Amino acid sequence: QGLKPIVSTESPALTTSKLASDIPATDSFLGKNKVPDLQKLFQKPDGLPVHLKRGVPDKLLYRTTMALTIGGTIYCLVALYMASQPRNQ
């Protein structure tokens, strides 16, 4: 005696599907390979850190992240200070 298995132990019937080798490599959805261009950009010795190499959008994201981090730290410190003070009754 024992429990019946919920999942069938038989192998499922094989279905026909496209293999990766059947799909042509030049389909329109692939587009242009941008990796060599980005490698040239990121490996350029211009003294900038890699997270700022793409210009204004990177600078905007970096500064926004830093502002939110500093603001969150200050908010947490103020909340801890207020929580540590006893209440007057």
Side-chain angles (χ1 to χ4, degrees):
Q1 292 190 10
L3 299 174
K4 286 178 118 178
I6 295 174
V7 179
S8 174
T9 57
E10 298 175 8
S11 63
L14 295 176
T15 59
T16 58
S17 63
K18 283 189 174 183
L19 298 175
S21 61
D22 294 341
I23 300 173
T26 57
D27 280 341
S28 62
F29 66 87
L30 293 178
K32 182 181 179 270
N33 187 5
K34 298 178 185 177
V35 172
D37 299 331
L38 291 173
Q39 284 177 338
K40 288 177 189 174
L41 174 71
F42 288 121
Q43 292 175 355
K44 190 185 320 178
D46 55 4
L48 285 174
V50 73
H51 59 274
L52 296 176
K53 289 236 183 202
R54 293 184 81 181
V56 175
D58 283 349
K59 289 179 184 175
L60 183 66
L61 283 171
Y62 177 74
R63 290 179 180 163
T64 303
T65 303
M66 290 306 293
L68 288 171
T69 303
I70 292 169
T73 302
I74 291 170
Y75 177 77
C76 286
L77 291 174
V78 168
L80 282 172
Y81 174 76
M82 291 175 64
S84 69
Q85 298 300 315
R87 291 186 179 176
N88 293 332
Q89 290 184 352

